[in-house]
Amino acid sequence: NAGVTQTPKFQVLKTGQSMTLQCAQDMNHEYMSWYRQDPGMGLRLIHYSVGAGITDQGEVPNGYNVSRSTTEDFPLRLLSAAPSQTSVYFCASIKGGGLYGYTFGSGTRLTVV
Amino acid sequence: AQTVTQSQPEMSVQEAETVTLSCTYDTSESDYYLFWYKQPPSRQMILVIRQEAYKQQNATENRFSVNFQKAAKSFSLKISDSQLGDAAMYFCAYRTPYGTASKLTFGTGTRLQVTL
């Protein structure tokens, strides 16, 4: 019962590089989301998925891609990293409707130089 | 679109005292859920308490309780008998329960300091 597992925990990228943040959950949750956390701005939704094969944009999707080929995995891809993408990224999942809070991963601190 | 406002960027409380963190939200929905999350320095997001909008009774979890005022769209968190381990960022969040709208909208957070 690992919950939501995010890797890596820390990453430094150079401007223009690409990378994938991994997220996996073992709770058979339908919904998965990616948030970014910036000082003074709370957590903002990047992309989300309501099930395998279904994804949609959140509040701040530009510069990021996602896919959901399985229920368990929901990777976030940075296509060409920019300093504005320096942030802490959280993956979260939830079982479905109802009074459930999201289960969050431990976060990835990304720095783009 | 729903918005969540936390107007107190920082709060301070003495150990064993009580503190209340404020949260207001804007929505046109009648049914929704509200949450308080705690984020300690470890960065982990921890669910503290949750409230269903159609329930008038305020939720309580041990030393944590909420004051939910639906008409005023207010959802404050009260921490009683504050402990050093309560020091953290606290986020208020809103969620609609239906279908693809199962997204959390967060406030900007309140940093709580606990002093001896």
Side-chain angles (χ1 to χ4, degrees), chain A residues 39-54:
Chain A
M41 304 189 75
L43 281 77
R44 294 179 293 168
L45 182 64
I46 304 171
H47 285 285
Y48 66 98
S49 169
V50 301
I54 306 170

Side-chain angles (χ1 to χ4, degrees), chain A residues 92-103:
Chain A
S93 72
I94 191 170
K95 183 174 178 60
L99 187 58
Y100 297 109
Y102 273 80
T103 300

Side-chain angles (χ1 to χ4, degrees), chain B residues 14-28:
Chain B
Q14 284 191 320
E15 200 177 17
E17 297 296 311
T18 296
V19 64
T20 298
L21 308 184
S22 299
C23 173
T24 59
Y25 57 94
D26 186 26
T27 183
S28 58

Side-chain angles (χ1 to χ4, degrees), chain B residues 38-57:
Chain B
K38 171 185 178 181
Q39 187 182 44
S42 67
R43 204 167 66 197
Q44 186 67 44
M45 295 289 288
I46 302 166
L47 179 63
V48 174
I49 198 165
R50 51 194 158 195
Q51 175 80 40
E52 300 166 75
Y54 64 86
K55 286 190 174 179
Q56 292 186 333
Q57 185 174 5

